[in-house]
Amino acid sequence: KLAELKAPTLSVTASEDFLITATKSGEMNALLRGSRLEILSDVGHMTPLEAPKAFARKLTAFLEEIKSDGMNSIRSENERPAK
């Protein structure tokens, strides 16, 4: 189902998340066309609660990029063929 998603997607994970590891997040992210994966250092599973400012910066930057540029820059960084 992830491969069918056709929307700008930001995945934010944490280096110290042992429930959904950064490796697993990367595997899931690889299924999403035109997605971006951000890994926050020294944060655990509750990323938005543990590092709200860092999380907000990543999210805000992603939304601003989509607002100004659509998905074009995201696709160019991370283009994948549809499955």
Side-chain angles (χ1 to χ4, degrees):
K1 299 281 182 190
L2 289 176
E4 296 172 13
L5 186 63
K6 293 180 177 148
T9 306
L10 174 65
S11 300
V12 181
T13 191
S15 63
E16 304 303 314
D17 187 342
F18 297 107
L19 294 174
I20 302 172
T21 65
T23 300
K24 181 53 94 178
S25 292
E27 291 169 2
M28 290 187 291
N29 188 69
L31 299 173
L32 296 162
R33 293 183 71 205
S35 63
R36 174 167 300 149
L37 174 65
E38 297 284 353
I39 302 172
L40 299 180
S41 298
D42 302 318
V43 180
H45 185 69
M46 302 295 287
T47 306
L49 297 175
E50 293 179 44
K53 289 181 182 177
F55 182 85
R57 279 193 300 273
K58 298 291 185 185
L59 180 57
T60 300
F62 182 76
L63 294 173
E64 287 294 327
E65 182 177 341
I66 291 168
K67 180 180 175 184
S68 67
D69 195 33
M71 282 189 63
N72 294 328
S73 63
I74 296 166
R75 283 191 181 123
S76 67
E77 289 179 18
N78 195 18
E79 187 64 39
R80 291 186 198 81
K83 292 187 177 191

